[in-house]
Amino acid sequence: MPITAALVEANGWVLRLTVTGSPGSFASYTLSPDAAPRVTLASSHAGFVKSAGAAIAGALARTLVATKPLRKPVNWNGSGLDPIVVDEVDLGGGSVQVRLALSEHVYASDTGLVLAVLAGWRTGEAAASGIAVTNASTIAAPVPIMRWVRPQYQVATGQFRLSLLVASHHAVGFDPAAAVKFTATDGTTTKTVWADALATDNDYSDNLRCYSVTIDPATATALTAGMLRCDAEVYPWLGAMRSTDPAGTRAMTGLATAGLVNSAEVPFVVAHDPAGTRYGGRYLYVDPASTAATAAVVLKTSLAAAAGAPLTEKAPNIQVAIQAIYNANLTLPAANGQAAVARCADTATIVLAPGVHLPLTSSTVTLGLKTNDVPLRIIGDPNDGNPRANCIMRTAGATGIRFSDVGKCSFANLTLEIGAFWFTATPAAGWWLDNVEVRGRTGQAASTVLPMSGTFQHLTRVRVSQTGWRPYASGLMRNCASSRQVACPVIVRQRFISAEEDGTIATSVAENAMTAINSNAPVPATVEDNIVAFCDFRFLRGRGLLTNPSASAAAAGTPNKSLRRLLWLNNVFEKIGPTSDAPFLACGEDDSLTMSYNIIEGNSFAGDRNNSFYSDPLPATLAETNTLLNQAQVNRFANNYISWQPTKHDAFNDTTTAALRGNGNGYRPHMVEAWSYIYGVGHEGNYEGGADRSFPLEYYGLRSDRSVHASSWFVNDRSAYGPGGGGGDYTPAAGSPLLGLVLKGSSDRDFANAARAAGGAAGAYQGVVTGPVALAPAGGRHAGSGQATSVGWAGSIGPLSARHVGPVLASLIGWSGQLLPHSGVSVAGSTAAVVSNGASLLPAGGSIAFGDSPAALLVPSGLPGTIRTLRVGADQRTIVVHFN
């Protein structure tokens, strides 16, 4: 009964086979995808490979696995559902057509599709190989997800860093891409640096892993002072290169605002100032003790001079300082394709003295002050021991500081006490807060008034608490903490501040948890490539913490609103509120979406459900009950721990649909375009541990598992499924079933910055690698001669998933000696170093022999097995010890 035809359907994930035989049932198929897969599809796709620190054209060979025969959509017979049956078609003449789900998508540009089957994949079928497969897929290969993870328009007087966070559907090991090419240009000279491995950017104290390089603008032909355009090209293992400069022109025009765009495909703009004079050299010191008029305020050429000036030359408030900058009539010279700018504030820094700074109740400054290249900088006095705590800008009244026409402004190393007050600017293009505490002023903890008009572009190292203001940014949020809802295209190392820690928020407020990620957020609705990575979202109670917007159908070119290239990577979510409350993740729920090219990877969702890639739009008319639908394709859902993963498609009896039809039939057999999710296409290494088994997936993905949740799986489960209270440690405990499921991913570090490795755990934490591994210390060599160094090891050795608990500074279980595999033999000649100060670790069947020795063989206490034989030669020169 041979396979007579094989084809990958247009959706890219269904393998349609024609076989000689008669119709069967689900019991006719034994595909064994997680053991020895019986149906495998070999494919190749053009991409890139590493070469000498860069990337060159190559290809990625893949082996896809058939996981499960498809079922037919549900059928309502007027009183209930017909039995679910396998999706087979009797073609007549002794031929049957069957549809099988594949473990991944086949793309339209895949080549060399060849099928192999093992005997018994279908009842009575024999083994076969070399079967040609027609590729009818219309699915485009994914491009990398990418975002800059540093604030735009920073001043650099020397070397500067470029950092790009990248994720891929087809990582090799824990490298998301083969390499990333970074460039920096002044419009004439271009410098290029490659990165072929992930690195750490710790400039914001968060050990962020990304592709990160430093550019030295002074080497070889120096770059000219002024704005530099920096770009990145990501070369994936599979698929096409993706660039932040899709036009490929490296245009220098419009750089003043080019970096203030919400798309991932934008340049990174650096303000190059090697002499420190183009963007520096003008300082004003603000001291509330001053009573100086604007005309008396003097701009100084250094911070020391400004701080040491008499009170008569210092500004009493920020408005006076801004007016003084206007009056100075500074000019920014033309450079790097940018025209000269008069009345500029690019060179100015306003320094706040320790103490409380209040705005004028009525502010009037002359309009026309500009910031073309870089922000006007307002900072706490760096000479103070703790300027973030001691230099305070406090709102007062309903009228605030008017920043003239300043379009960019940054605040650093201070506190903002906010309430019924705005800092205003026209136009309000770009704001940057770094190392800033934001809190409500006395009596204004519940105020939701924005502290500044316009949109924040970047927040780094910012804490927002004791205020009703929600920090919505349109650029970057990095290493921040907030007790309120956040929304931003790039959120990395964010921490949720619990109601208990905040102290002013009732535990019942709705925004102490998640909201549907397809909800309309205050971030512009055309944004895609949204990234949430390495974030700590514990102590959650309901919905409302995090929003990720979808793009309109018109903007995305999709039938519905588009949720495309969303990345959730290595985050910890912990629900401590009632498990019957709203879920963490509601993707597609109560909406019609096209959900494509998203990556949900390496997250721990403890304590509640994820309504993942729901296919549950809400019809408003009878006609819509048969037409509304969701689409899902090329979504990677991998390496996650999920408490419960319900998903509703055709087999869900939707009450809204039933009411509109008026006959009790809420089933929707047309809801099949998101079936790639319920068949686990692109899923791997997941673990579901919820007690609720309703609305399950048809298949959970390769190396995925599920069982009823047990708190003992984690070091300290304090979610709603554990004792509650929040703040748990979701590192897998010894023997946890989450261990050993992960083989690859888009980051080589986990949530806790531990190294990822094959054999790690599902969830945000790597855990202890299980399975066979090779220990090879740096510089180790195998004993091959009398004088050779043995393969040795010095370090801590413990059992699988073990933890050693001892007093501070106590040593872990240590070992210095030799590690030998089963039946291995180590021989040390009479002049070779002898194992002392330790021992040799040998498993059952191993042996060790050594010559003249002043030291005895040391047997560690509690070594498993027994000493079976001890032989001492007549010349007292040879001792052989065997262990079982």
Side-chain angles (χ1 to χ4, degrees):
M1 295 185 291
I3 297 173
T4 58
L7 174 141
V8 174
E9 295 184 357
N11 60 27
W13 63 273
V14 173
L15 176 65
R16 185 196 306 165
L17 301 179
T18 302
V19 299
T20 302
S22 57
S25 65
F26 289 111
S28 303
Y29 296 88
T30 306
L31 302 181
S32 303
D34 293 306
R38 296 191 177 185
V39 179
T40 56
L41 177 65
S43 182
S44 180
H45 196 289
F48 300 90
V49 296
K50 296 178 187 290
S51 177
I56 61 174
L60 182 67
R62 293 189 292 155
T63 299
L64 286 67
V65 174
T67 60
K68 191 173 182 178
L70 268 64
R71 62 173 173 83
K72 290 186 176 180
V74 297
N75 182 58
W76 174 262
N77 59 27
S79 59
L81 290 181
D82 287 338
I84 301 297
V85 296
V86 67
D87 192 350
E88 288 186 338
V89 176
D90 187 348
L91 301 177
S95 291
V96 176
Q97 180 180 283
V98 64
R99 303 173 75 217
L100 306 179
L102 292 170
S103 56
E104 295 181 20
H105 280 79
V106 173
Y107 308 116
S109 41
D110 270 284
T111 60
L113 272 62
V114 177
L115 184 68
V117 297
L118 299 181
W121 73 272
R122 189 175 191 268
T123 301
E125 286 291 334
S129 61
I131 304 169
V133 179
T134 300
N135 184 5
S137 171
T138 61
I139 302 301
V143 296
I145 300 172
M146 63 183 189
R147 282 281 184 175
W148 297 110
V149 285
R150 296 177 66 85
Q152 297 266 8
Y153 299 100
Q154 297 179 89
V155 177
T157 57
Q159 292 185 352
F160 57 87
R161 183 183 293 275
L162 300 176
S163 295
L164 192 77
L165 197 151
V166 176
S168 169
H169 286 74
H170 299 289
V172 172
F174 295 94
D175 282 343
V180 177
K181 177 183 176 182
F182 293 92
T183 59
T185 183
D186 58 11
T188 301
T189 300
T190 299
K191 294 185 180 294
T192 300
V193 179
W194 283 86
D196 70 344
L198 294 170
T200 298
D201 177 351
N202 196 37
D203 289 355
Y204 293 94
S205 308
D206 56 5
N207 291 308
L208 184 62
R209 295 293 284 184
C210 53
Y211 287 99
S212 184
V213 299
T214 55
I215 300 286
D216 189 342
T219 57
T221 303
L223 297 177
T224 303
M227 285 197 289
L228 305 179
R229 177 186 177 121
C230 304
D231 285 290
E233 295 176 354
V234 181
Y235 292 83
W237 300 100
L238 181 155
M241 178 271 290
R242 191 180 188 200
S243 175
T244 59
D245 179 25
T249 60
R250 294 197 181 120
M252 299 297 290
T253 57
L255 280 190
T257 57
L260 302 178
V261 179
N262 295 299
S263 170
E265 297 178 347
V266 296
F268 187 80
V269 184
V270 173
H272 176 43
D273 190 10
T277 55
R278 178 174 175 83
Y279 302 117
R282 296 292 186 273
Y283 293 85
L284 297 96
Y285 200 88
V286 176
D287 190 331
S290 170
T291 58
T294 302
V297 175
V298 180
L299 279 68
K300 303 295 183 180
T301 57
S302 70
L303 173 62
L311 280 178
T312 55
E313 296 181 1
K314 294 179 178 178
N317 53 57
I318 296 174
Q319 291 97 320
V320 169
I322 292 172
Q323 185 67 47
I325 298 171
Y326 177 90
N327 292 344
N329 195 17
L330 304 173
T331 298
L332 188 69
N336 299 351
Q338 314 305 309
V341 180
R343 298 280 184 190
C344 76
D346 301 61
T347 63
T349 301
I350 297 175
V351 184
L352 304 183
V356 175
H357 295 261
L358 297 172
L360 296 177
T361 56
S362 177
S363 62
T364 54
V365 295
T366 306
L367 300 181
L369 190 63
K370 306 291 185 181
T371 52
N372 186 75
D373 289 19
V374 299
L376 167 66
R377 297 169 294 282
I378 300 177
I379 65 173
D381 188 347
N383 294 315
D384 182 77
N386 188 358
R388 172 167 164 161
N390 297 329
C391 301
I392 302 170
M393 293 177 62
R394 180 178 297 164
T395 66
T399 304
I401 301 169
R402 176 65 186 262
F403 278 178
S404 186
D405 290 336
V406 171
K408 302 187 185 91
C409 187
S410 68
F411 297 84
N413 307 325
L414 48 80
T415 288
L416 294 177
E417 291 189 352
I418 61 176
F421 168 82
W422 289 13
F423 300 108
T424 60
T426 305
W431 304 87
W432 175 26
L433 271 63
D434 179 50
N435 194 34
V436 169
E437 174 95 10
V438 182
R439 61 175 180 255
R441 65 182 174 88
T442 302
Q444 293 293 328
S447 174
T448 59
V449 175
L450 301 177
M452 291 146 187
S453 64
T455 304
F456 285 104
Q457 292 296 331
H458 304 294
L459 277 69
T460 54
R461 299 182 293 191
V462 172
R463 176 186 172 91
V464 180
S465 64
Q466 300 179 7
T467 175
W469 172 63
R470 297 169 175 174
Y472 298 156
S474 58
L476 168 70
M477 295 183 70
R478 178 170 172 184
N479 197 15
C480 297
S482 175
S483 59
R484 288 296 188 179
Q485 186 183 70
V486 297
C488 185
V490 194
I491 304 173
V492 291
R493 291 294 185 193
Q494 179 82 14
R495 184 177 73 86
F496 174 59
I497 298 173
S498 69
E500 290 82 358
E501 180 183 345
D502 181 282
T504 65
I505 300 174
T507 58
S508 60
V509 299
E511 60 188 52
N512 278 2
M514 305 302 295
T515 191
I517 63 175
N518 52 282
S519 298
N520 291 325
V523 179
T526 58
V527 176
E528 297 181 317
D529 292 272
N530 292 282
I531 291 177
V532 180
F534 301 100
C535 294
D536 183 354
F537 295 132
R538 290 177 293 174
F539 301 96
L540 305 181
R541 287 186 166 87
R543 279 194 179 184
L545 172 69
L546 181 68
T547 61
N548 290 102
S550 53
S552 67
T558 51
N560 302 320
K561 290 188 301 181
S562 172
L563 190 68
R564 183 160 52 196
R565 292 188 303 274
L566 170 76
L567 171 66
W568 279 16
L569 177 67
N570 290 354
N571 303 289
V572 176
F573 299 86
E574 175 193 62
K575 183 75 172 297
I576 63 175
T579 56
S580 60
D581 201 351
F584 291 125
L585 173 62
C587 183
E589 182 184 21
D590 298 340
D591 208 348
S592 292
L593 282 181
T594 299
M595 301 164 284
S596 58
Y597 300 99
N598 302 293
I599 298 177
I600 312 295
E601 180 184 296
N603 303 284
S604 290
F605 297 100
D608 206 345
R609 65 197 182 278
N610 302 325
N611 296 354
S612 304
F613 294 83
Y614 247 39
S615 186
D616 187 22
L618 291 178
T621 66
L622 180 61
E624 287 183 341
T625 65
N626 296 311
T627 57
L628 284 185
L629 48 82
N630 286 354
Q631 296 95 13
Q633 62 187 33
V634 200
N635 295 298
R636 174 171 166 80
F637 194 90
N639 309 341
N640 301 292
Y641 166 73
I642 317 103
S643 289
W644 177 24
Q645 193 177 1
T647 191
K648 302 172 183 176
H649 297 262
D650 60 314
F652 173 59
N653 192 3
D654 176 55
T655 56
T656 303
T657 297
L660 287 169
R661 290 175 179 167
N663 59 3
N665 173 17
Y667 294 97
R668 305 159 302 179
H670 63 288
M671 283 289 190
V672 298
E673 293 196 49
W675 266 18
S676 63
Y677 184 83
I678 69 171
Y679 278 94
V681 182
H683 295 205
E684 63 174 322
N686 299 302
Y687 201 97
E688 181 186 314
D692 197 314
R693 307 281 90 182
S694 56
F695 311 117
L697 276 64
E698 294 285 342
Y699 180 69
Y700 281 80
L702 298 177
R703 299 183 317 284
S704 297
D705 208 344
R706 65 198 298 249
S707 60
V708 176
H709 177 96
S711 293
S712 60
W713 293 351
F714 305 105
V715 168
N716 183 17
D717 181 355
R718 295 189 60 81
S719 72
Y721 285 153
D729 180 350
Y730 296 95
T731 304
S736 173
L738 281 66
L739 294 164
L741 300 180
V742 173
L743 289 185
K744 61 182 180 179
S746 282
S747 178
D748 65 351
R749 294 290 189 273
D750 71 356
F751 168 80
N753 205 38
R756 290 273 191 192
Y765 295 90
Q766 162 72 12
V768 177
V769 173
T770 62
V773 295
L775 299 178
R781 293 188 290 144
H782 188 274
S785 65
Q787 298 294 327
T789 302
S790 296
V791 178
W793 185 267
S796 298
I797 296 178
L800 176 65
S801 302
R803 286 177 168 242
H804 180 81
V805 180
V808 176
L809 299 180
S811 298
L812 296 176
I813 302 169
W815 189 272
S816 178
Q818 297 173 316
L819 301 179
L820 282 81
H822 180 79
S823 300
V825 177
S826 174
V827 180
S830 60
T831 59
V834 178
V835 177
S836 60
N837 300 323
S840 294
L841 180 66
L842 288 84
S847 65
I848 180 171
F850 53 90
D852 285 338
S853 171
L857 177 68
L858 303 179
V859 180
S861 174
L863 184 70
T866 59
I867 300 177
R868 186 177 66 185
T869 308
L870 176 62
R871 297 196 300 269
V872 181
D875 60 359
Q876 302 295 308
R877 292 178 60 84
T878 303
I879 301 173
V880 179
V881 181
H882 291 266
F883 298 93
N884 286 328

